[in-house]
Amino acid sequence: VTERWDVEVIDENNYKRYGPRTSEGMPDHRTLQTMRPADVLGLYGGLTSTIPRLYEIAREYKVMGAVTVAGGQHFAGENIADALNNGIDVVVIGEGEEVIRDLLTAIANGGDKSHIPGLAFLKDGKVVMTAERTPITNFETAPLPDFSLIRYARIKVYPINWVRGCGMNCEFCTVKGKPRPASPERVFRQITDLVEKHHARRFFIVDDLFGQFRGEALRLCALLADYQESIGIRLELTVQIRLDKAKDSELLSSMRRAGVATVCIGFESPIEDELKAMEKHLKPEDMVALARLYKNAGFYVHGMFIFGYPLPAGVEFTMPLKDRVRHFKRFIRRAGLDTVQILLPVPLPGTEMTQRLKAQNRLFPLDVIGWEYYDGNFPIFQPDSPVTPEQLHEAGKKIMGRFYNFNYIYAIGYRTLLFAYMVFYLHNIRKGWQRWYKPWLNSVIRFGGWVTIRRWSNEFKKGGFLQKLQHAKRKVRTS
């Protein structure tokens, strides 16, 4: 007999509509549990920095009688035992669509879980890991994601998953394995389903391999372009894509017709020695030229960087920190990037970079610098000599502060006054709008970024991280 479950989703990062809150402004899970009691709680551990909050919620629901299940990239190796000792009853290893169905059936029937592949749980105080589950390759039989299950949220940009896995094997990344794409037709159905049921207009294809399967990408773009023309609406898509796809003019043209407005690109670093260490086979000057191709094709370009990458043993790199900051600023300006994200390296669980830093005794102790700091904004290991963690942190802030700063408020005012400039483009309103809107929007984003960074800096000062950092450095020196 198939058990039917009543499901709802709570996204604490998008909890904006009428949901009960605690005095601290967080979702009030005790009230939620009173309103609609959950028998089973599923928790997503894909972001390491959210793990302390995940454990807090798990312990709360466990006290309230729910079975707690967690999965995600964070739970690898020793972190499985850590989870099972912090309020988690069952850890799902790998993809969850099929295993959760089997697990819920076992829970409903009070049966044994040991025969279900892809699980870890405690039995008699010891960790039991079941057989490994084969990765999913046929996505066509799975139902489309149902966003109506998300309660209390206000969704503006809808995430779309297309490709799982990545064959690049970057040592700092947890996403590995042969890429496994769904069909373009399934991705198309996801988007049209959201347009028709939720009036969605903006989408983010979250995996970073758009265009990797060229024929399929062209087919998806054609489907989306024809759909928008047939129903008379315009969609806006953001995709993550490799830099070298800029040389494929047919692909770029198809993407524009499909409604792709923004491309997110992992440049990682504009410094040649760091690129070699990361096994990125591009030169900085070529990266600038390729970024410009995206710009010339009409895309907004969002650049993602890692600042202060720890180089492997034997790599000689002596560039002063101030010169590295200068290289980043110069590259961002020359490439004409619309928005940027500068993150410090994060030694995520299970990556080769983490193992390398651990072997060198450079990771700061978790009992001092907890998982909540693993978000790319904090130095959580000893950088390459002679740089100190404090210097690395300040240098990253300088680059972001140069790009996102208060002075853009004047540009907003100036460009708002220039709105009348469009009258000279009455013969081509679209061209006039684009020439006015893009610079105005960039100014708004950069001023908004300054507000966000300022707020974050104030919270950072209150959080006591610098004191924890001093303690962590002493423990590393004496261990």
Side-chain angles (χ1 to χ4, degrees), residues 45 48 51 55 71-83 91-94 129 174 348-351 355 358 371:
T48 290
I51 294 304
Y55 287 164
Q73 294 281 13
H74 174 81
F75 300 110
E78 65 268 22
N79 292 335
I80 292 175
D82 183 58
V91 173
V92 172
I93 304 167
M129 295 184 63
T174 61
L348 295 171
T351 66
Q355 295 306 316
K358 186 181 293 184
W371 292 126

Side-chain angles (χ1 to χ4, degrees), residues 366-379:
L366 270 173
D367 60 349
V368 181
I369 305 295
W371 292 126
E372 63 268 27
Y373 294 107
Y374 277 59
D375 65 357
N377 292 305
F378 300 91

Side-chain angles (χ1 to χ4, degrees), residues 422-438:
M422 288 178 58
V423 74
F424 297 105
Y425 282 86
L426 290 178
H427 62 289
N428 191 336
I429 293 295
R430 174 174 292 183
K431 182 178 179 181
W433 172 258
Q434 290 176 344
R435 292 194 64 171
W436 174 83
Y437 179 70
K438 284 189 175 183

Side-chain angles (χ1 to χ4, degrees), residues 61-117:
Y61 274 88
K62 195 171 176 66
V63 169
M64 294 187 290
V67 176
T68 55
V69 181
Q73 294 281 13
H74 174 81
F75 300 110
E78 65 268 22
N79 292 335
I80 292 175
D82 183 58
L84 295 174
N85 286 292
N86 276 282
I88 305 298
D89 292 312
V90 185
V91 173
V92 172
I93 304 167
E95 296 164 316
E97 289 95 335
E98 295 177 350
V99 67
I100 196 66
R101 176 195 59 204
D102 299 339
L103 176 60
L104 289 175
T105 300
I107 291 172
N109 297 331
D112 183 23
K113 303 183 291 292
S114 60
H115 68 285
I116 302 173

